[in-house]
Amino acid sequence: MPKNIKILHVLPSGTRQYNLHGWIAHENDLCIGHIHMSIESNSRLKFLDAWVHENHRRKGIYRKLWDTRWQYVNEHYKGWNAYAWCKPMSLPLLLEKGFTTGDSTVYVEKKIENKQSPYGPSCFVSC
């Protein structure tokens, strides 16, 4: 990772429904990447999205963000369980860190069309 890139830890604000931590990779005060995690009940951590700007990919920034979060988790959340939903491209890193695979999921999508509902205005229902 280039030396001029710094990592900033953004602590949970306490003003949101979710208790989120974030780490931001920045260069010259511009965000070029980020990674997050959510603190959940029952001593669970959910590893969330990660992103690196396309002009800065393949420079070790994703790995540095991941390792920074991983170090923080290992220092502050001993005994907790961490989990993540990941793309196939990210799976080798998670397996390297000792994660085990669970069930697979498949992304599906459907455009919602403007069709009349079978329970439209001609169907009166009384409570």
Side-chain angles (χ1 to χ4, degrees):
M1 186 173 89
K3 292 181 181 182
N4 58 328
I5 295 174
K6 307 284 189 233
I7 305 292
L8 172 70
H9 182 189
V10 180
L11 295 168
S13 66
T15 60
R16 300 179 53 149
Q17 174 185 358
Y18 303 104
N19 199 356
L20 295 176
H21 283 263
W23 288 265
I24 297 171
H26 60 96
E27 179 180 50
N28 300 322
D29 295 328
L30 292 174
C31 175
I32 59 169
H34 59 75
I35 198 165
H36 298 90
M37 77 173 189
S38 175
I39 301 169
E40 297 183 348
S41 61
N42 301 321
S43 300
R44 289 171 46 99
L45 302 171
K46 182 178 183 180
F47 285 10
L48 300 170
D49 61 330
W51 167 84
V52 175
H53 188 279
E54 62 186 28
N55 293 345
H56 296 278
R57 293 180 184 157
R58 312 296 304 159
K59 296 179 183 178
I61 296 167
Y62 172 78
R63 170 68 76 148
K64 179 64 175 175
L65 286 164
W66 211 102
D67 287 346
T68 300
R69 176 180 62 187
W70 189 240
Q71 179 181 348
Y72 182 83
V73 164
N74 279 283
E75 290 173 3
H76 295 91
Y77 293 97
K78 294 239 185 272
W80 287 50
N81 288 315
Y83 73 98
W85 299 99
C86 69
K87 294 180 181 177
M89 207 168 132
S90 302
L91 184 58
L93 176 58
L94 288 148
L95 294 175
E96 173 189 310
K97 298 297 183 182
F99 284 73
T100 56
T101 57
D103 292 332
S104 295
T105 60
V106 176
Y107 173 79
V108 295
E109 180 178 301
K110 178 177 180 6
K111 182 174 182 169
I112 307 302
E113 299 179 24
N114 295 328
K115 290 185 178 179
Q116 184 76 3
S117 167
Y119 305 104
S122 63
C123 181
F124 175 74
V125 177
S126 175
C127 296

